[in-house]
Amino acid sequence: MKIFVAAFFALLIAGSVAAQERYVGYYYPEITSEEVFDRIVRESPGASKATRVDFINVMTSAQLATPESPRFVFFSKGAESKTLILTALDDDVFSTIYRARAILAQLTVSVRKGGFFRQEDLQYVATFYDLLHLLQFDELLITDGESWTHRVEFVR
């Protein structure tokens, strides 16, 4: 019985790792750095896959509405769209993790202007990471699309 339980958990873990690894080398390079985000500013009522996909559509539409070409793209992966991926489209925008974090800070400003953060009285404290956490993304992958990928795990 112990062997069966151990084998079951080994297969479960291997399946999760295999699902993650199938995107490596296709959508982004190997993960080179990681962090954990576990702050909770509000309990989330539960966001659906449709809500996460709508969020990505709104962010993408906002980018496409400007006269400049987007310098990075948003897309999600996974059965429930719980992995958000930001990929640079040129060699400069995410040339370092520090520039990528600057873009995330700029995205914080963008989402703070939205009605949700104001309605919840979070516009002065919440960040882009907090929004992703509330939308129940499991992870954010930020990549230059060439040599590095940074993973942010959202822990509830």
Side-chain angles (χ1 to χ4, degrees), residues 4 16 43 59 64 87 109 113-114 124 129 134:
F4 173 74
S16 172
E43 288 298 324
M59 297 298 284
L64 295 174
T87 303
V109 171
K113 291 181 355 185
Y124 301 113
Y129 281 8
L134 287 167

Side-chain angles (χ1 to χ4, degrees), residues 35-48 51-52 55 81-84 104 108 111 116-117 122 125-140 152-156:
E35 66 183 281
V36 173
F37 185 82
D38 60 1
R39 180 175 82 155
I40 298 176
V41 294
R42 286 273 195 295
E43 288 298 324
S44 176
S48 66
T51 303
R52 286 184 291 280
F55 166 73
S81 295
K82 289 194 167 198
T83 296
L84 178 63
L104 293 171
T108 292
V111 298
F116 175 76
F117 276 1
L122 296 172
V125 295
T127 67
F128 187 68
Y129 281 8
D130 290 310
L131 178 61
L132 298 182
H133 200 272
L134 287 167
L135 289 171
Q136 296 192 339
F137 281 99
D138 289 338
E139 62 184 350
L140 166 65
V152 180
E153 177 186 8
F154 297 103
V155 177
R156 289 172 200 72

Side-chain angles (χ1 to χ4, degrees), residues 62-73:
Q63 283 184 309
L64 295 174
T66 65
E68 301 85 24
S69 294
R71 299 190 66 201
F72 56 92
V73 295

